[in-house]
Amino acid sequence: MSVISIRNLSVTFPGDAGPVQAVKDVSFDLEEGEILGIVGESGSGKSVTCRAMLGLLPRRATLGGRILHHGQDLTQPAAMQAARGRDIAMIFQNPASHLDPLMTIGDQVAEPLIFHFGMSRAEARAEALKLLDAVQIRDAAGRMSAYPHQLSGGMKQRVLIATALACRPKLLLADEPTTALDVTVQAEILALLKTLNRERNLTMALVSHDLGVIAEICHRVIVMRQGEIVESGRLRDLVHAPKHDYTRLLITSQPGRLPQMTDQRPDSAPLIELRDLSLHFPGKGDKVVRAVDGVSLSVRQGECLAIVGESGSGKSTVARAVIGLNAPTGGDILYEGRSVVGLKGEALTAFRRKVQMVFQSPFDSLNPRMSIQRTIAEPLWRHGLATKAEAMDRALELMDMVELPRSLAGRRPGMLSGGQCQRVGIARALALSPRVLIADEVTSALDVTIQAQILKLLTRLRKEQDLTVIYISHDLTVVRKFCDRVAVFRTGQLVESGTTAEVYADPKAAYTRDLIAAAPDLDQALAGVT
Amino acid sequence: MHYLTFIGRRLLHIVPVLIGISLVSFLLVMLVPGDPVRLVLGPRATDDAVAAMREAWGLDRSLLSQYLTYVGNVVQGNLGDSLKYRLPVWDLIAQYLPRTAFLIGYVLAMTVPVTVLLAVTAARREGDWPDQVIRLLSVLGMTIPVFWLAVIFARLFGIQLGWFPVSGYGEGFLGHLHHLFLPAVSTSLWLAPVLTRNLRGALVQQMDADYVAACRAKGLPERLIFRRHILPNSVLPTLNLLGVMIAFLIGGSVVVEIVYAVPGLGALMIGAVLGRDYFVIQGLTLVYALVTVLVTLVIDLLTAAIDPRTVG
């Protein structure tokens, strides 16, 4: 029996250049007890479809078609209000921002019970406690009076799940529920959702950009692109025999299916060495935050070294220390055998020319009011390496190098896609002909198909420019394909390091094993599905 | 428990501020050009008389010892004597302060409910005509100078219509309310728009917050979401602005107090400045600073009571 039937759903937003149709004539059914995956890239309409099912679209959106639930059409406000939070509930991408920061966890979970079932506050809180237990929050009784900021990201998502389950809904919508979480936490949350589906016969729609995540728990999958359903069916069938070109592209872009891009070369001399490096910051009260604690590591000439770890592991802090943005509180950083800690003036500038960085957020790291040609040219003339005219010419060459059409030279970042912006960021970093490129989560804000392109570009540039790359990432599957050696970080300490092949084949540390096991991978998940 | 430690820490922060305040108010008189003794005794006093007075006042001692004496006196409530009234400064302030405090309380009682009402209306009807009208009136209210408004009100409601007295403080609570009505309205008409714009902005921002979408997903009705979630999250910036404004009003009530001849701190200050009544100026500086510290403290404690993140 269908829990919900979407018939010819369309959603239109008013735009500057006329109305924009975000969802076009989409129809599908959700059968009782199944987990349906909705996969697609940014702008595919997957989240809009999901939000439409709960009437969470902004007022300016116009809705067409029908959303049928037990004979009621949920596009009608009264029917939606009756079903919302009771029969259908939802969890969201960023658990931190979806909890009211001023209200205790217990009260937030109890709220729908008080409203929908007319429970007293005490009854509702007693029920909330059971729910927190059910979503496996340790010390649930103690957490009842905690505020959201006192919980970790995974805990917050569990609280949101508990809230969603409060009124025993038949359908749970999950919009990228694990995207903002660390891989090990992601694995736990997915396992929890799977358990809830099995034990409570809870029907789910899971929206994700990550086929690996979808493959972990979904029975059936819908592929969306530009507001339309491109293909649907059992994931296994879809992966083995994709009918649509886009589905094929999506599958070949999965990090696990990318070609091996590592570059096994004989051991070369170390270019950068970290010796017993520590960065401690003053924390709350008398506490000291050991962001990086006694790390010794060397980066060899010409290699691609991955620094992997979860949030708070200190991986970005290490990178910032290398380019001199954070001063170490202990240990030393050597570049070609000479210490670069405490460099000033000319010497620091000269060093920074050699080591350039590309940042995570492609839009935020570019000046929105500057044309991309100027953006790329700026470091050259700022460093006095070229006249402005020469720098502008060189910028065009750099655009060729990162495969950006020259016709985009006069555009501003706002008129480019995320992938194009990231190419601008790379071109700007290459402008000073650096020897080392530090790439800090450069693909994590990008769609998988774009990620595949950027990785290919970086691999080509590495060879052509003889670059040494420090690749900071939380994505173990990408690292496995792209990096020669890997260093695993956890809470400021180096857990393990070695060649990527060795570490993946035979991880020494338990934490590394957990990380590798938790990383969602399409093929492994498919192999596990019976 | 956390909240108590927060209060303790916050109180500790005040200590250096108080030391700074005492230093500034002490040096204020020291740095005044001319000799206060000469000022008191007049230009024709003999050198012996001046020397005797200097000794009597302790002005011949070191700056540090004078400062310590000053702090000792202040702690005991001794702010010196007014040169003009020949009265202890503390008695003068104790006489004038309640009137200004009453005026500010009156202003707040008028402003806060109106602000909340207008801001909520504007935010809930964002972009619609009520919002446009409220925004227009806000700009108008902020651009009209208080002194001009005060003079016009005094003429219209005070003299022509005779509804309200245009000077004095009145007798008894109702008398105060009646006498201070026009000064309070004149101030409110400027204060309410400032606060309304601030609160409306915060409300509009919070209405788009993710947790609001999450509340809708829970099936809560809009009214409940607004009251229980959006409003508490929006008041914090406005509360802090209100604190700054109250501190500002203590010193900034001068204009309306002069126009409406309210015998409050502002009037006392103007008289003291014009009459070079140094010890009154010194005492008032101290009081203004202390009240500001106190208001900031109260606002911080309120903020911490609403927002658990501040307590940490």
Side-chain angles (χ1 to χ4, degrees), chain A residues 4 54 126-127 199 206 215 221 294 357 375 390 405 431 488 515:
Chain A
I4 204 164
L54 211 52
E127 184 65 29
E199 289 177 359
L206 174 74
V221 60
M357 192 152 173
T375 301
E390 287 165 4
V488 182
L515 266 188

Side-chain angles (χ1 to χ4, degrees), chain A residues 194-212:
Chain A
K194 218 171 179 171
T195 312
L196 292 170
N197 165 256
R198 207 174 42 233
E199 289 177 359
R200 303 188 176 212
N201 198 28
L202 183 65
T203 313
M204 281 185 215
L206 174 74
V207 172
S208 180
H209 68 283
D210 190 338
L211 260 184

Side-chain angles (χ1 to χ4, degrees), chain A residues 51 54 56 81 84-85 88-90 92 97-103 108 111-112 115-116 147 149 160 163 284, chain B residues 2 124 207 209-211 213-222 224 228-229 232-233 236 306-309 312:
Chain A
R51 281 170 180 256
L54 211 52
L56 292 181
Q81 191 57 46
R84 193 145 85 170
I88 309 174
M90 183 162 176
F92 301 86
S97 64
H98 283 89
L99 288 167
D100 184 342
L102 306 185
M103 198 183 257
Q108 299 205 40
E111 215 176 11
F115 178 72
H116 290 293
Y147 288 94
H149 72 279
L160 276 178
T163 315
K284 247 180 224 158
Chain B
H2 268 314
R124 297 190 79 144
M207 282 159 72
D210 284 343
Y211 64 83
C215 286
R216 290 199 182 112
K218 286 183 196 175
L220 303 183
E222 293 295 323
L224 188 69
R228 297 227 8 220
H229 298 277
N233 273 288
L236 290 173
I306 297 174
D307 189 344
R309 287 167 298 183

